[in-house]
Amino acid sequence: MAFLVATTLFLFGQLLLCFSQQVRGVNYTFMREAVEAPVMAYYDYIIIGGGTAGCPLAATLSERYRVLLLERGGSPYDDARVLNMAHFADVLADTSGASPSQRFVSEDGVINARPRVLGGGSCINAGFFTRAGPGYVRALGWDPKEVVSAYQWVEDVVAFQPELGPWQAALRRGLLEIGVVPDNGFTFDHILGTKVGGSIFDAQGRRHTAADLLRYSRPDGIDVFLRARVARIVFSRKGTKPVARGVLYHDARGGSHMAYLNHGARNEIILSAGALGSPQLLMLSGVGPADHLEEFGISLVLDHPGVGQGMSDNPMNAIYVPSPSPVELSLIQVVGITRFGSYIEGASGSDWNSRTSGAAAAAAAQVRSFGMFSPQTGQLATVPPKQRTPEAIARAVEAMSQVPDAALRGGFILEKVLGPQSTGRLALRNLDPDDNPTVSFNYFSHPDDLRRCAAGIATIERVIRSRAFSRFAYPNFAFPATINVTAEFPANLMRMRGGSDPRALEQFCRDTVMTIWHYHGGCQVGRVVDRDYRVLGIEALRVIDGSTFNASPGTNPQATVMMLGRYMGVKIQKERMIAEGSGIEP
């Protein structure tokens, strides 16, 4: 009996240990620094970018084939800030060269961020998890059953049902009270009305990222190299047609490495470097608008005018609502999906560093923040986009340090625009793949986007005035005197008077626009890639990530980007097995 008990306890302990290792993801035997990579190696698939799409794609393809996954950043498991919800804003505020978040400023003047870490945007975002709508799936010709299966594969690892605190619950009731109905409860699905969506943060506030999906990998089938900076894709020719053959990349010490495709008609290089990285690397490799590449002396592989075109970012506008009652710390949990094409969401709480103690707490008190709406993260809506200079940010941070604690108690209610329909372009700034390209999104250049924003702001006003939300808003939304301590209070405090002039609301939208980090485009389906994500005019090269999107899916793209990695990995495997089994050549 004692032996049985001891054996049972041992096995239980081993199961717990295994589960703990899986959750942490730190025991990936196939993950190494690029300095350890061979100078030359061969693979069936080479995936550039270990991000939101790249990780599930690599894990899936490794089930049957030899896969190389190249990630320019480090491991999320080595940075406690990435995995802790309380430090979400700290990552976005870190502008050092080693940060998991790389800041960029669009030509519109809006400060934004792109990921530089295994797991991609799922490591630095606000965590909301929701599927794309049925219409989106149909428009792209995806198989609905396979899409659901791919979503579930992802959700089993990274998605959770959040527990609503009082502020988020009041926001939900307020949306229903003003007519954003029906009440859809908790669901991953994209449905008109009000719902509680999923989160990649678990009940303990721990983030689960796309990197966690690498647990599905066949260890002998995959190599993951970190801090592997891809310089360019190498091509050969089949007649006059370019064929992708390999990748040149550099490690953290500047060493050069070559990875080539094994012989085989169906082996491929797949770009999953994101909406900025994928079009940028295509251009640096000689695929893009010929006149633009000529400016930088890049040898032309294929004149592809669509590369870098169709860039979009979902504009976000938010209103800070000071609260007479304490509020919980929360990121996006509730969403109102309106019929006029605006999504209403919220986040509450401030002083995200306040969970520290001792000397750390004393230091944090001098760096107060509003989390995802903080000047430290670049979300400074108190001045128009072009005026958000480093000096303006520094003034806002200083102003925040002078504001009484009571003024920082509250939450933000935001709206973001469906689509959007406004588009811009991406272009090279220089020949450095680590540097940011230039990008413009042309926020609100399309009148429908502006109309939807104004309607969304008016909806927020109605939520604030609702009976359900009254506990967390001052009567008539009249701000207490403490709010007006400084003229440069670093949060947007729009004075609601009722019956707002639509033209004033539209100007408000233009002046206070921020990003919600949902930028996409640059390698769009039908423009740069076909419906199977093959680059038009080139063999053995695909792009599988958010750069292929013509519109942002659902209310948040990350679930769909992860799903797409799994979905296309399964599809590629099935098609290859059928073709090779029947002797069919592509």
Side-chain angles (χ1 to χ4, degrees):
M1 178 65 73
F3 173 77
L4 288 175
V5 170
T7 302
T8 301
L9 289 173
F10 173 77
L11 291 173
F12 181 68
Q14 291 298 104
L15 285 172
L16 285 178
L17 177 61
C18 179
F19 176 76
S20 175
Q21 289 172 342
Q22 283 185 328
V23 168
R24 291 198 309 271
V26 295
N27 260 12
Y28 291 152
T29 56
F30 46 77
M31 183 173 71
R32 292 172 288 165
E33 294 288 328
V35 292
E36 300 178 39
V39 174
M40 185 180 299
Y42 292 83
Y43 296 87
D44 300 321
Y45 291 96
I46 299 171
I47 300 174
I48 303 171
T52 317
C55 285
L57 176 64
T60 301
L61 291 175
S62 76
E63 295 168 3
R64 293 182 177 273
Y65 307 103
R66 282 286 293 149
V67 176
L68 172 64
L69 181 63
L70 298 172
E71 168 52 44
R72 72 190 185 112
S75 167
Y77 309 110
D78 295 337
D79 192 329
R81 301 171 304 170
V82 169
L83 303 180
N84 189 335
M85 186 180 79
H87 293 282
F88 160 71
D90 296 347
V91 175
L92 291 173
D94 181 359
T95 58
S96 70
S99 173
S101 173
Q102 182 176 356
R103 181 168 291 187
F104 73 94
V105 183
S106 70
E107 299 301 292
D108 315 274
V110 173
I111 297 169
N112 212 316
R114 58 188 295 210
R116 183 169 47 197
V117 60
L118 187 72
S122 66
C123 295
I124 66 172
N125 65 20
F128 197 64
F129 190 98
T130 181
R131 298 178 180 182
Y136 194 96
V137 172
R138 285 193 302 271
L140 284 168
W142 292 338
D143 182 320
K145 290 184 179 179
E146 291 295 333
V147 165
V148 170
S149 177
Y151 273 126
Q152 291 172 341
W153 182 88
V154 171
E155 290 157 6
D156 285 345
V157 175
V158 306
F160 304 87
Q161 178 177 351
E163 182 177 345
L164 300 190
W167 192 91
Q168 288 280 350
L171 173 60
R172 177 188 182 186
R173 292 193 303 271
L175 285 164
L176 293 170
E177 180 182 322
I178 68 165
V180 185
V181 292
D183 181 356
N184 294 309
F186 167 71
T187 180
F188 292 134
D189 293 334
H190 183 79
I191 316 170
L192 282 173
T194 295
K195 74 168 190 173
V196 178
S199 176
I200 62 173
F201 291 101
D202 62 23
Q204 287 71 48
R206 185 188 185 282
R207 183 191 294 270
H208 295 255
T209 77
D212 292 3
L213 298 170
L214 288 171
R215 73 172 67 177
Y216 287 118
S217 301
R218 178 173 62 91
D220 292 340
I222 187 171
D223 286 328
V224 177
F225 289 121
L226 304 175
R227 281 172 268 273
R229 295 171 170 86
V230 174
R232 60 185 172 89
I233 301 166
V234 177
F235 296 93
S236 62
R237 293 270 174 181
K238 181 189 287 187
T240 60
K241 195 170 189 178
V243 181
R245 291 299 186 199
V247 169
L248 168 65
Y249 65 98
H250 302 289
D251 60 41
R253 296 174 186 167
S256 296
H257 305 259
M258 288 296 307
Y260 290 103
L261 293 177
N262 285 321
H263 291 297
R266 292 186 173 271
N267 295 333
E268 294 177 309
I269 294 172
I270 304 176
L271 263 171
S272 295
L276 267 65
S278 288
Q280 179 186 28
L281 280 170
L282 280 178
M283 291 183 189
L284 290 173
S285 303
V287 180
D291 55 349
H292 181 56
L293 302 189
E294 186 179 356
E295 294 175 23
F296 292 90
I298 298 173
S299 298
L300 186 67
V301 172
L302 182 67
D303 182 11
H304 223 314
V307 175
Q309 301 301 310
M311 297 298 299
S312 293
D313 184 26
N314 291 82
M316 175 179 71
N317 297 82
I319 294 172
Y320 177 61
V321 188
S323 172
S325 303
V327 299
E328 74 269 16
L329 181 67
S330 71
L331 287 172
I332 310 300
Q333 296 176 338
V334 172
V335 59
I337 301 174
T338 70
R339 296 184 180 277
F340 55 81
S342 179
Y343 306 135
I344 312 300
E345 303 172 355
S348 61
S350 63
D351 282 329
W352 287 61
N353 292 315
S354 61
R355 293 189 179 187
T356 56
S357 59
Q366 303 304 314
V367 190
R368 307 163 80 186
S369 80
F370 279 120
M372 65 184 287
F373 297 98
S374 298
Q376 294 96 324
T377 68
Q379 300 287 57
L380 184 63
T382 49
V383 294
K386 294 285 188 179
Q387 299 175 31
R388 294 171 195 172
T389 62
E391 293 77 15
I393 290 174
R395 288 194 297 269
V397 172
E398 172 61 23
M400 181 171 281
S401 70
Q402 305 300 319
V403 175
D405 290 343
L408 296 176
R409 187 173 62 194
F412 286 84
I413 304 179
L414 65 93
E415 73 81 35
K416 57 189 179 189
V417 170
L418 166 72
Q421 297 189 61
S422 303
T423 62
R425 66 184 290 265
L426 177 146
L428 295 176
R429 187 188 305 273
N430 52 44
L431 298 177
D432 184 354
D434 288 333
D435 202 356
N436 292 316
T438 65
V439 59
S440 62
F441 298 117
N442 293 329
Y443 297 103
F444 301 125
S445 59
H446 195 288
D448 283 353
D449 293 342
L450 200 56
R451 174 182 56 79
R452 286 170 173 158
C453 177
I457 297 299
T459 302
I460 292 174
E461 176 179 0
R462 293 169 60 208
V463 171
I464 295 168
R465 296 185 183 281
S466 69
R467 184 169 55 254
F469 199 74
S470 59
R471 174 184 169 189
F472 297 104
Y474 286 91
N476 300 316
F477 202 31
F479 306 128
T482 53
I483 289 298
N484 295 314
V485 168
T486 171
E488 297 187 52
F489 185 66
N492 172 27
L493 296 167
M494 184 180 182
R495 289 186 176 273
M496 300 291 191
R497 296 298 184 189
S500 300
D501 180 354
R503 289 173 299 179
L505 289 180
E506 290 179 357
Q507 190 60 48
F508 174 84
C509 289
R510 292 190 185 95
D511 288 345
T512 67
V513 64
M514 297 178 286
T515 183
I516 198 160
W517 310 288
H518 292 178
Y519 50 91
H520 52 278
C523 298
Q524 292 174 314
V525 171
R527 203 172 196 171
V528 175
V529 299
D530 65 18
R531 286 198 166 206
D532 288 320
Y533 301 94
R534 295 185 178 93
V535 177
L536 298 168
I538 299 180
E539 288 192 14
L541 181 63
R542 300 195 203 218
V543 180
I544 299 177
D545 59 23
S547 71
T548 64
F549 292 166
N550 291 285
S552 188
T555 62
N556 184 298
Q558 77 164 333
T560 302
V561 177
M562 284 191 263
M563 181 281 296
L564 180 62
R566 171 62 176 177
Y567 176 88
M568 284 306 300
V570 170
K571 185 174 183 179
I572 289 169
Q573 280 197 68
K574 286 182 177 178
E575 291 178 349
R576 180 166 182 165
M577 289 168 62
I578 292 170
E580 291 177 346
S582 62
I584 299 172
E585 286 299 319

